[in-house]
Amino acid sequence: MEHKTSYKQELLILGYNKTSVEQQIRNINNFFKITQKEIQEVKPSDIKNFVKHFKSKQLHSSTIRSCYNHIEKYFIYLEREQNIKKNPFNYYQLELSKDKHTIREILTQQEITQLYNKANAQETIILHLCYGCGLRAFEMEQITLNDIDFEQKTLTVQKGKYSKYRVIPLSEKINQDLFNYLQINQHYTMKQQNILYNQAGTKLKQYTALAMMKKLAQKANIKANVTLHGLRHSIATHLLENGVNLTQIQQFLGHKQMETTEIYTRVRKQQLQYLVISNK
């Protein structure tokens, strides 16, 4: 713990974004949780098994490489500070074929309905957060009980991208489903205040939620590539299709620039021009 704390402080001093630093520390913690080794005990074979574990989750090669790089940097730091005698990463060569850039597919409104129809209680909450509330994957992972105001029917993202704060209105359906879900699973939320948890009773990670959504897509007989971020793409597009203007969607998604919203939603150029003109 002491080593990770000093490493985290070093990253912040070097000017790394706080959100990025927290992600790096989460990846490091995950590595030690999976390997069940102390820093001095880690061997190249442990690194190999860790990479194998992530490959089995069918994550994109860039995601695996990013996580690997975070852990490798930490071990370089440990070696430099003489906390370890040998750096196991010096004796392991990452072999990772580069995946083609994954195109996030926008689901139709009918496909979204199919997902909801086949979803269990926990899967429904994931859909509500990533589709109904348009949350990014890491935002979904961070939502706690304290972020929901059932009376006002709002959900607060305390630290979105670039640590941006935003409040999202909840539909009556989402508000009620969240309330019912948390009532049933109150013993978990009392422990860690997280909304979503895994079978071990700890915070549900985004890669686990992604695996759940892919299984749900199979049950719903959906051929499209369903991802957590793709659900966010989908709600943005569906809002546009239903006549919501770009400024409102920009606020809903938490974008800093309107240009990001225009690219993100992949709406035909003609439709974008019409919406921009109509909202001047």
Side-chain angles (χ1 to χ4, degrees), residues 103-107 130-131 134-135 227-240 249 253 255 260-261 263-267:
I103 299 174
R104 297 190 181 104
E105 296 189 44
I106 295 173
L107 303 181
C130 294
Y131 175 78
L135 299 188
T227 66
L228 301 180
H229 212 71
L231 292 172
R232 178 171 152 91
H233 269 287
S234 299
I235 186 60
T237 302
H238 298 164
L239 288 173
L240 275 166
I249 295 174
L253 296 175
H255 285 159
T260 306
T261 309
I263 295 169
Y264 200 102
T265 53
R266 298 183 184 177
V267 180

Side-chain angles (χ1 to χ4, degrees), residues 2-251:
E2 178 185 347
H3 302 313
K4 281 183 282 189
T5 300
S6 58
Y7 180 61
K8 181 178 180 179
Q9 291 174 344
E10 177 173 298
L11 292 176
L12 291 170
I13 291 171
L14 289 171
Y16 282 87
N17 179 275
K18 187 177 180 181
T19 302
S20 172
V21 172
E22 289 174 351
Q23 180 62 57
Q24 292 189 49
I25 298 300
R26 281 198 295 271
N27 286 334
I28 292 167
N29 287 337
N30 195 33
F31 174 79
F32 287 105
K33 182 179 179 180
I34 291 172
T35 59
Q36 294 290 300
K37 296 287 185 69
E38 298 296 328
I39 56 174
Q40 300 89 350
E41 299 172 339
V42 176
K43 299 177 180 178
S45 59
D46 296 312
I47 302 170
K48 181 180 179 180
N49 290 334
F50 178 75
V51 173
K52 185 178 179 180
H53 169 79
F54 269 82
K55 284 181 177 180
S56 70
K57 294 184 176 295
Q58 298 182 327
L59 298 176
H60 195 278
S61 62
S62 62
T63 302
I64 299 174
R65 189 175 297 278
S66 176
C67 182
Y68 177 91
N69 289 341
H70 290 164
I71 301 160
E72 183 181 30
K73 281 170 54 183
Y74 179 58
F75 272 85
I76 291 172
Y77 165 82
L78 292 173
E79 185 180 29
R80 191 190 77 211
E81 296 298 311
Q82 299 182 341
N83 298 128
I84 55 175
K85 293 181 179 179
K86 288 184 178 181
N87 183 352
F89 281 83
N90 293 338
Y91 305 93
Y92 178 79
Q93 182 67 41
L94 179 63
E95 295 180 359
L96 202 61
S97 58
K98 188 173 181 180
D99 295 335
K100 293 181 180 179
H101 181 68
T102 303
I103 299 174
R104 297 190 181 104
E105 296 189 44
I106 295 173
L107 303 181
T108 65
Q109 294 185 50
Q110 176 59 40
E111 287 172 328
I112 292 294
T113 300
Q114 289 174 233
L115 288 175
Y116 271 110
N117 287 342
K118 293 292 184 179
N120 60 29
Q122 190 175 48
E123 292 164 346
T124 296
I125 298 304
I126 295 173
L127 286 171
H128 280 338
L129 294 177
C130 294
Y131 175 78
C133 297
L135 299 188
R136 299 176 177 93
F138 79 89
E139 293 171 344
M140 174 214 68
E141 189 179 284
Q142 294 174 359
I143 293 298
T144 69
L145 184 61
N146 294 330
D147 296 324
I148 303 173
D149 188 329
F150 291 109
E151 290 187 6
Q152 297 297 321
K153 298 185 179 66
T154 59
L155 181 147
T156 300
V157 177
Q158 302 290 347
K159 291 184 178 180
K161 197 171 183 179
Y162 307 116
S163 298
K164 192 173 182 180
Y165 171 99
R166 73 182 187 279
V167 178
I168 299 168
L170 299 176
S171 69
E172 187 66 46
K173 171 67 173 170
I174 293 178
N175 194 64
Q176 189 61 53
D177 283 352
L178 281 168
F179 180 82
N180 293 340
Y181 181 79
L182 292 171
Q183 284 288 99
I184 295 171
N185 300 287
Q186 187 176 11
H187 56 293
Y188 288 105
T189 56
M190 290 300 291
K191 274 197 290 186
Q192 297 193 13
Q193 294 295 301
N194 295 116
I195 291 176
L196 294 167
Y197 60 91
N198 58 29
Q199 292 180 348
T202 57
K203 181 171 68 173
L204 185 77
K205 299 294 184 180
Q206 51 187 280
Y207 56 77
T208 304
L210 173 61
M212 291 171 65
M213 288 296 99
K214 289 190 177 297
K215 288 183 180 179
L216 177 60
Q218 291 179 341
K219 286 194 296 182
N221 197 29
I222 293 174
K223 305 301 181 184
N225 180 35
V226 177
T227 66
L228 301 180
H229 212 71
L231 292 172
R232 178 171 152 91
H233 269 287
S234 299
I235 186 60
T237 302
H238 298 164
L239 288 173
L240 275 166
E241 291 173 351
N242 292 326
V244 179
N245 68 55
L246 286 175
T247 302
Q248 290 174 313
I249 295 174
Q250 178 188 3
Q251 294 171 348

